[in-house]
Amino acid sequence: MADKKIKVPRAKMPEQDPDLRRRNFDEVPLGLTPEMAVLEASRCLQCKKPSCVEGCPVSVKIPEFIKLIAAKDFSGATKKLWETNALPAVCGRVCPQEIQCEGKCILGKKGDPVAIGYLEKFAADWERKNGSGEVPVVATKTGKKIAVIGSGPSGLTVAGDLLLKGHEVTIFEAFHKPGGVLVYGIPEFRLPKEIVASEVATLEKMGADIQCNTVVGASVTIDELFEEGYNAVYIGVGAGLPRFMNLAGENLIGIYSANEYLTRTNLMKGYLFPEYDTPIARGKNVVVLGAGNVAMDSARTAMRLGAASVKVVYRRSRDEMPARVEELHHAEQEGIDFVLLTNPTQFFGNEKGRLTGMECLKMELGEPDASGRRRPIPIEGSEFKIDCDLVVVSVGSNANPLLTNSTPDIALTQWGNIIGDSVTGKTSKKGVWAGGDIVTGMATVILAMGAGRAAATSMHDYLTMGW
């Protein structure tokens, strides 16, 4: 029986044609049909000790929801997902399944793993379009109030879990729309904003109170939240302070941080100009510095904004590029050029202060550094120039100190990140937890959600049993 299942080929996700999608912001994957989803679900071996669940930071009940899809109970599959994941439509799109759940799938040892991400996306999308509108049932009210600071994946997960346990949850969001990095950082073609809005709406139906345009640390402090009657606080504000390279000419007009570039395009709808009056530079010869998922998002966005040429400049080789394999593949399909083993050294501009080009050095790989990747070493005398009129710097980000400056009794790392217990997320301040990028630095959506889930469990114990 197992051999028969292994012989069923893995589903191939239908996608927009690369020549068409490189100039539009419509979602690239078109989704599985019900027939494709049922067939793919039939490949699951329903292991008694599912290693795929071990690979999931939020412990989604993977075999159980897949079994329901195989039985054509699509609504039931979504409800099963909701038991452990408040954002299944998001996770099905942006999680690095290849190194998490699918990377642990037993079928992957001799062939292709079950397409868990495709099936999660299918179930959540089917429920949104065809379901009854039901939401998870919450427990009897406890009378406890929780403030969640930040409405990104970590904060939304904490909110969902604590709502299910019967607590009252208020989410404070600095921007005018909830969703955090899901709305300002990830482009429409990879994560449509209607998906995020739908997931957030589910939490609101469960009872979440979302207060936008509220900057905790400026308009209100954490101590004032306690004075207002909140019993516990969760900090999930991410790490949104842009990081630059401190190179000569970096202040020229035409050099963006990836944070600003993507926020203008996504949250502020710059790609829909003039329908949305958001200024956004549309370079013809664009260079993106970095090779993570954010860099791929920036490069693919630049192509869709009309660039004639988009180059990704990275100081290591293809094997060390940290972006998801699927994102690298999609970028190459769309005509993005990878300029590898190359590092910028300075930028050039004209008399008006506008960017005209950049100088680079060729690199070679030496011994592994602290990250485990081989260290890039400059090759003397290998300088060359790249002509460009727009550069997007995507080399990471730091913690914004606005909130922590107003909360001096929270312990921080030397880089300004909040120190949270590795298991529970507890901080040095009583009644306050933290998780996601503000603790770990830049990481994935699902790891932030995993931190949120652990913190929610610890917070519930605190609210019901004490610190």
Side-chain angles (χ1 to χ4, degrees), residues 19 64 98 205 271:
D19 288 337
E64 296 177 46
E98 66 274 9
K205 290 177 183 177
Y271 73 97

Side-chain angles (χ1 to χ4, degrees), residues 277-289:
D277 191 15
T278 299
I280 182 73
R282 295 172 180 256
K284 289 299 180 185
N285 296 301
V286 179
V287 171
V288 176
L289 305 179

